[in-house]
């Protein structure tokens, strides 16, 4: 037997079925744009046609685990199949759960097929960076199913995929709605309560009992970032309310007013019928609650036992005038997208926290994403990795694609037709004083400095309509969506060129995974000579391919314990947090050059302060009122740093461990020392300061005026060995 056949058989033993992508022949999917009739008359609210006996998917989600952690994959290069992060898709059935992986080659591989009864939730636990008492039993999953003892769906079990051992069982008195996980926490939601556990020890950490009972698909919708947790609050608390938020849903159109009047009339008749029969249509739990309130807390910081003593509140604001039914953070954890029960419009907020209290924080209302005037139940919210695209799916069977920017404002050719995110105010031509982007020269003057983000006036939200409406099949409905690099490489067809936007993947109730390629471009009807940075855009959407994922064959299920060599078990070593050496690497991690270094300008001064004993009577002791370390607000973490380049775009953090980068750094330092020596030799330090003050700085420093230097206020950073 050949080595290739042995390798093929060995690989086959570690996973189940393999599904290849195939071309789409359905005309409704190929057209991929929903008409108005689909928004007014819903085609289907059920995923199973009458008389059909097949088992439908109850829920679906795209999950993130150690298996598809971005830290374990090289940067995206020409060899896309090796550097593309796999999509991990979890499907829940009435008889079990199924997990699929779609790699860069386009193959959908079945990794888990578990007959466990009706599964309400399953989440993969990420390995913690610090101590891990369950390291020998990982990977672990948190599962809520009907097979657990006691009341149905009231128990969460932590099971080892390696040994099939039940590591821990946590029983509750009420049914569980859902389970969410990040690197440090496991969040279990109930109707009006949230329980937070430590992901390493699985011990209780925090309990929230002031949640608003939502009328949407999820009774208690939340958004979990890397550190922050957003949830619907019962009432607005004045001493915790942040500045900004939603000041109203905007002016209603004539169609919206007519539909609202009809709904109000129907609601009045229902309330009248309820009063005659002695029943109330409104839930007793929300009788004295205020809808539309959102709170964001830091779940890693301990708060008080009461609302007055809660010290982990980040922001507390009004998000909608009606109940919030869905919300999601962007990958940075600073932008929150919310949806209300009507589904007419969705709000996009940017959170500006304050280290002292949530009352000093600011919530900027950046966008109103207008879907339409008819009511729709929101099924899923997905945000692209660069926070420039939002896909919102409804039960009506339509996925709406909206363009946004991380800082708000208009969506134009400049913001969405380049591969990278561009900064809000600085353009290379404008910051250099050369051109305004349309060919006309500009005077060499700096633009006005924007106000601090936490001080008014706050930006007025921009109204954005969807650039694409992707319609599912008439007997189908989308369950979840996500963005990612393209991977539907069909046999016999050349690989399509990558566009400025990631592809959109949508999974439906029938088990069909669709890949849509999104191509942003200049709006039609604009002459070529009139195209500028401020020109509007449109998108071309192509349904590239589909994966028809079959129902799991539970007769030959792939369940714990997983066999040796399984991809869930064959993981790289746990990544360690980077050392804290910011001060010694300040010249490397804060800019990319090649112009004047930070320490050559008058804006910054870095000083090392040796910590001394803080006893009150010691001579030379440091005053206790000036701490060595600041106490900033705990911000969400993102593994990539966006920095401005000469083309107005953004790139990853500069790498300094290569020979080329090291040589360039040495040359820049040599140039800096040469300029310093020349300045010292022609007039001493004073002449050098005058030269630096009057000389032209880099393009980014010319965008804002030089700040005044105040020696009374110093920023003290932790020192490290140089």
């Amino acid at each position: 037997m050949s080595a290739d056949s042995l390798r093929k058989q060995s690989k086959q033993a570690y996973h189940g079925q393999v599904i290849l992508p195939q071309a789409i022949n359905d005309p409704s999917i190929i057209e991929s744009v929903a008409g108005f009739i689909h928004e007014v008359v819903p085609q289907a609210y059920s995923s199973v046609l009458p008389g059909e006996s097949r088992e439908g998917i109850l829920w679906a989600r795209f999950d993130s685990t150690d298996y598809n952690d971005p830290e374990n994959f090289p940067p995206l290069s020409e060899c896309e199949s090796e550097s593309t992060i796999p999509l991990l898709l979890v499907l829940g059935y009435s008889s079990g759960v199924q997990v699929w992986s779609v790699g860069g080659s386009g193959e959908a591989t079945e990794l888990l097929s578990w007959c466990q009864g009706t599964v309400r939730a399953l989440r993969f636990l990420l390995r913690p960076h610090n101590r891990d008492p369950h390291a020998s039993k990982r990977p672990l999953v948190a599962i809520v199913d009907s097979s657990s003892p006691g009341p149905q769906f009231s128990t969460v079990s932590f099971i080892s995929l390696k040994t099939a051992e039940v590591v821990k069982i946590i029983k509750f008195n009420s049914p569980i709605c859902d389970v969410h996980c990040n690197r440090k926490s496991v969040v279990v939601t109930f109707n009006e309560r949230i329980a937070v556990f430590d992901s390493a020890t699985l011990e209780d950490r925090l309990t929230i009992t002031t949640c608003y009972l939502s009328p949407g698909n999820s009774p208690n919708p939340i958004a979990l970032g890397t550190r922050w947790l957003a949830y619907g609050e019962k009432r607005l608390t004045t001493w915790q309310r942040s500045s900004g938020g939603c000041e109203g849903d905007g002016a209603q159109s004539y169609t919206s007013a007519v539909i609202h009047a009809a709904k109000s009339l129907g609601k009045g008749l229902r309330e009248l019928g309820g009063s005659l029969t002695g029943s109330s249509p409104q839930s007793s739990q929300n009788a004295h609650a205020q809808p539309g309130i959102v709170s964001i807390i830091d779940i890693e910081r301990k708060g008080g036992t009461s609302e007055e003593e809660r010290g982990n509140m980040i922001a507390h604001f009004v998000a909608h005038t009606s109940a919030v039914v869905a919300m999601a953070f962007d990958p940075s954890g600073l932008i929150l997208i919310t949806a209300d029960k009507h589904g007419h419009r969705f709000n996009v907020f940017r959170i500006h926290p304050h280290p002292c209290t949530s009352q000093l924080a600011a919530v900027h209302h950046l966008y109103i994403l207008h879907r339409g005037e008819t009511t729709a139940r929101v099924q899923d919210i997905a945000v692209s990795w660069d926070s420039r695209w939002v896909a919102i799916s409804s039960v009506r069977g339509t996925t709406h694609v909206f363009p946004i920017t991380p800082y708000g404002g208009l969506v134009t050719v400049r913001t969405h037709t380049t591969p990278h995110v561009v900064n809000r105010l600085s353009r290379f031509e404008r910051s250099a004083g050369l051109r305004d982007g349309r060919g006309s020269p500009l005077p060499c003057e700096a633009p006005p400095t924007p106000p601090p983000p936490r001080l008014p006036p706050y930006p007025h939200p921009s109204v954005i309509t969807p650039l694409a409406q992707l319609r599912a099949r008439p007997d189908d409905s989308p369950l979840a969506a996500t963005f990612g690099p393209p991977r539907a490489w069909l046999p016999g067809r050349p690989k399509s060129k990558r566009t400025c936007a990631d592809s959109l993947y949508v999974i439906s109730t029938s088990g069909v995974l669709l890949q849509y390629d999104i191509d942003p471009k200049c709006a039609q009807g604009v002459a070529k000579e009139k195209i500028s940075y401020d020109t509007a855009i449109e998108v071309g959407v192509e349904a590239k391919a589909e994966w028809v994922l079959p129902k799991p064959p539970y007769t030959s299920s792939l369940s714990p314990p997983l066999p040796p060599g399984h991809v869930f078990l064959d993981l790289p070593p746990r990544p360690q947090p980077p050392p804290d050496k910011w001060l010694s690497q300040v010249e490397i991690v804060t800019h990319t050059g090649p112009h004047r270094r930070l320490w050559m300008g008058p804006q910054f001064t870095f000083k090392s302060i040796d910590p001394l004993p803080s006893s009150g009577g010691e001579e030379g002791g440091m005053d206790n009122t000036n701490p060595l370390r600041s106490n900033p607000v705990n911000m969400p973490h993102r593994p990539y740093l966006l920095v401005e380049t000469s083309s107005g775009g953004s790139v990853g953090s500069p790498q300094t461990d290569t020979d080329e980068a090291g040589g360039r750094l040495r040359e820049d330092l040599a140039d800096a020392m040469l300029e310093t020596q020349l300045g010292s030799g022609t007039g001493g330090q004073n002449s050098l300061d005058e030269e630096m003050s009057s000389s032209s700085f880099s393009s980014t420093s010319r965008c804002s005026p030089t700040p005044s230097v105040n020696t009374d206020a110093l920023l003290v950073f932790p020192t490290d060995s140089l």
Side-chain angles (χ1 to χ4, degrees):
M1 186 177 294
S2 63
D4 293 338
S5 60
L6 284 174
R7 195 160 44 241
K8 188 173 182 180
Q9 287 186 359
S10 177
K11 182 180 178 182
Q12 185 68 23
Y14 302 147
H15 58 68
Q17 308 171 76
V18 176
I19 305 299
L20 297 178
Q22 60 186 22
I24 301 174
N25 299 321
D26 192 337
S28 62
I29 297 297
I30 295 177
E31 292 174 0
S32 71
V33 178
F36 176 75
I37 188 65
H38 296 302
E39 291 297 328
V40 178
V41 182
Q43 296 291 316
Y45 275 94
S46 175
S47 61
V48 182
L49 293 176
E52 195 172 349
S53 60
R54 60 173 177 165
E55 181 184 9
I57 300 175
L58 300 180
W59 55 267
R61 65 166 52 100
F62 293 93
D63 211 345
S64 177
T65 67
D66 295 307
Y67 164 69
N68 57 347
D69 192 341
E71 297 180 3
N72 300 331
F73 290 84
L76 197 62
S77 60
E78 295 297 331
C79 185
E80 296 182 351
S81 61
E82 296 182 1
S83 56
T84 301
I85 301 175
L87 295 179
L88 196 65
L89 177 60
V90 185
L91 306 178
Y93 297 88
S94 59
S95 55
V97 68
Q98 189 181 34
V99 178
W100 291 87
S101 171
V102 185
S105 62
E107 292 185 350
T109 305
E110 186 184 30
L111 301 181
L112 193 65
S113 180
W114 197 354
C115 182
Q116 193 73 3
T118 303
V119 177
R120 175 166 290 186
L122 183 140
R123 287 285 186 174
F124 291 85
L125 272 63
L126 297 169
R127 291 178 297 177
H129 284 300
N130 300 324
R131 61 186 183 89
D132 184 8
H134 305 292
S136 61
K137 301 175 184 178
R138 293 189 185 267
L140 300 178
V141 293
I143 186 171
V144 179
D145 54 33
S146 59
S147 63
S148 301
Q152 197 173 31
F153 305 121
S154 61
T155 301
V156 55
S157 302
F158 297 91
I159 302 176
S160 171
L161 295 180
K162 183 178 181 180
T163 63
E165 178 184 354
V166 179
V167 176
K168 187 171 184 178
I169 296 179
I170 304 178
K171 298 181 180 180
F172 301 95
N173 296 326
S174 55
I176 298 172
C177 296
D178 204 351
V179 179
H180 302 259
C181 299
N182 62 11
R183 183 70 66 178
K184 294 185 178 181
S185 303
V186 178
V187 180
V188 183
T189 62
F190 306 86
N191 280 353
E192 293 180 283
R193 185 164 56 97
I194 299 175
V196 182
F197 299 86
D198 188 274
S199 64
T201 62
L202 305 180
E203 297 295 333
D204 185 17
R205 178 191 293 169
L206 176 67
T207 301
I208 303 171
T209 59
T210 58
C211 302
Y212 186 90
L213 185 60
S214 173
N217 289 345
S218 176
N220 192 359
I222 68 169
L224 179 62
T226 56
R227 187 177 183 114
W228 292 354
L229 171 67
Y231 64 95
E233 190 76 59
K234 275 189 176 181
R235 59 185 61 88
L236 186 65
T237 308
T238 56
W239 59 84
Q240 291 180 331
R241 181 175 184 177
S242 306
S243 301
C246 179
E247 301 297 337
D249 284 344
Q252 290 183 330
S253 65
Y254 176 77
T255 305
S256 176
V258 172
I259 296 177
H260 178 71
K263 291 180 178 179
S264 300
L265 178 60
K267 181 179 179 181
L269 294 177
R270 289 192 300 270
E271 291 179 353
L272 177 60
S275 62
L276 294 176
T277 58
S279 61
S280 175
Q282 186 179 13
S283 173
S284 59
Q285 291 88 344
N286 291 341
H288 303 287
Q290 182 178 356
I293 310 301
V294 170
S295 294
I296 302 178
I297 64 172
D298 180 7
I299 57 177
E300 295 184 25
R301 178 191 298 177
K302 292 185 178 180
T305 57
S306 62
E307 295 183 5
E308 294 82 358
E309 300 175 354
R310 186 177 297 172
N312 56 356
M313 184 71 70
I314 298 295
H316 180 69
F317 59 97
V318 178
H320 292 272
T321 57
S322 56
V324 177
V325 299
M327 62 183 78
F329 279 117
D330 77 325
S332 71
L334 298 176
I335 295 179
L336 181 68
I337 299 96
T338 60
D340 65 351
K341 68 176 183 179
H342 300 298
H344 298 163
R345 53 191 62 88
F346 318 108
N347 292 331
V348 180
F349 303 98
R350 184 173 182 87
I351 314 301
H352 295 273
H354 194 276
C356 296
T357 175
S358 61
Q359 195 173 11
L360 298 178
V363 180
H364 290 185
H365 191 187
L366 301 183
Y367 293 101
I368 298 176
L369 308 180
H370 186 79
R371 184 196 64 86
E373 305 298 348
T374 56
T375 302
R377 298 201 305 268
V378 175
Q379 185 80 12
D380 181 73
I381 301 176
V383 189
S384 63
W385 179 250
D386 57 6
S387 302
R388 291 194 293 177
W389 299 95
V390 177
I392 301 179
S393 303
S394 67
V395 185
R396 289 183 177 270
T398 308
T399 300
H400 301 261
V401 181
F402 299 90
I404 65 171
T405 61
Y407 38 77
L410 297 178
V411 174
T412 61
V413 168
R414 173 181 174 267
T415 60
H416 280 73
T417 58
T418 56
H420 304 290
V421 179
V422 294
N423 288 348
R424 179 179 185 179
L425 298 178
S426 60
R427 306 172 182 169
F428 172 71
E429 295 88 353
R430 187 176 183 87
S431 61
L434 302 176
R435 300 181 183 274
D436 65 350
R438 294 185 293 267
S440 59
L442 283 177
C444 296
E445 60 183 12
T449 304
R454 287 191 292 266
L455 298 180
Y458 301 123
H460 187 73
S462 303
V463 179
I464 301 293
T465 56
L467 295 185
Q469 297 174 343
L470 312 178
R471 179 68 190 177
R473 290 181 173 87
D475 59 339
D476 219 342
S477 179
L479 289 177
T482 189
F483 290 89
R487 63 198 72 214
W489 314 124
L490 299 176
R493 296 188 182 182
K495 291 186 177 182
S496 58
K497 185 179 179 181
R498 288 200 62 186
T499 63
C500 300
D502 281 340
S503 299
L504 177 63
Y505 298 87
V506 181
I507 180 67
S508 62
T509 53
S510 62
V512 178
L513 176 64
L514 289 167
Q515 174 184 318
Y516 294 95
D517 288 352
I518 301 176
D519 184 16
K521 51 190 175 182
C522 176
Q524 294 183 357
V526 181
K528 187 176 182 180
E529 61 273 8
K530 294 184 178 180
I531 297 177
S532 67
Y533 281 140
D534 300 328
T535 304
I537 66 168
E538 62 181 19
V539 296
V541 180
E542 178 186 2
K544 191 69 176 180
E546 65 180 7
W547 292 263
V548 181
L549 306 179
K551 174 186 173 181
Y554 290 122
T555 55
S556 58
S557 62
L558 183 61
S559 57
L562 297 179
H566 194 279
V567 292
F568 284 159
L569 306 180
D570 188 15
L571 295 176
R574 182 176 54 195
Q576 298 296 330
D580 186 12
K581 293 185 178 181
W582 186 86
L583 185 61
S584 62
Q585 299 180 12
V586 62
E587 283 295 323
I588 301 175
V589 301
T590 55
H591 80 302
T592 57
H595 302 293
R596 198 175 296 273
R597 262 60 60 186
L598 285 177
W599 50 268
M600 295 186 65
Q603 294 92 344
F604 299 94
T605 301
F606 297 98
K607 297 180 179 180
S608 297
I609 301 178
D610 295 330
L612 297 176
S614 56
S615 57
E618 271 191 53
E619 183 179 355
M622 185 172 291
D623 189 2
N624 292 336
T625 60
N626 296 325
L628 293 179
R629 288 178 178 265
S630 61
N631 187 23
V633 64
N634 295 311
M635 301 290 290
H637 169 70
R638 183 172 180 177
Y640 297 105
L641 173 67
L642 301 180
V643 295
E644 181 74 7
T645 63
S646 60
S647 61
S650 63
V651 296
S653 302
Q655 302 292 332
T656 59
D657 53 352
T658 61
D659 296 339
E660 180 181 358
R664 185 169 62 252
L665 179 60
R666 286 191 292 270
E667 293 178 1
D668 293 344
L669 292 177
D671 294 341
M673 296 304 297
L674 180 60
E675 294 177 10
T676 305
Q677 294 173 1
L678 291 177
S680 301
T682 56
Q685 183 64 30
N686 294 332
S687 61
L688 177 61
D689 294 339
E690 294 177 0
E691 177 192 356
M692 290 187 295
S693 301
S694 60
S695 61
S696 60
F697 292 95
S698 64
S699 60
T700 53
S701 61
R702 293 187 62 173
C703 296
S704 57
T706 302
S708 59
V709 179
N710 185 5
T711 57
D712 297 334
L714 297 177
L715 296 176
V716 183
F717 298 95
T719 59
D720 50 74
S721 57
L722 299 178

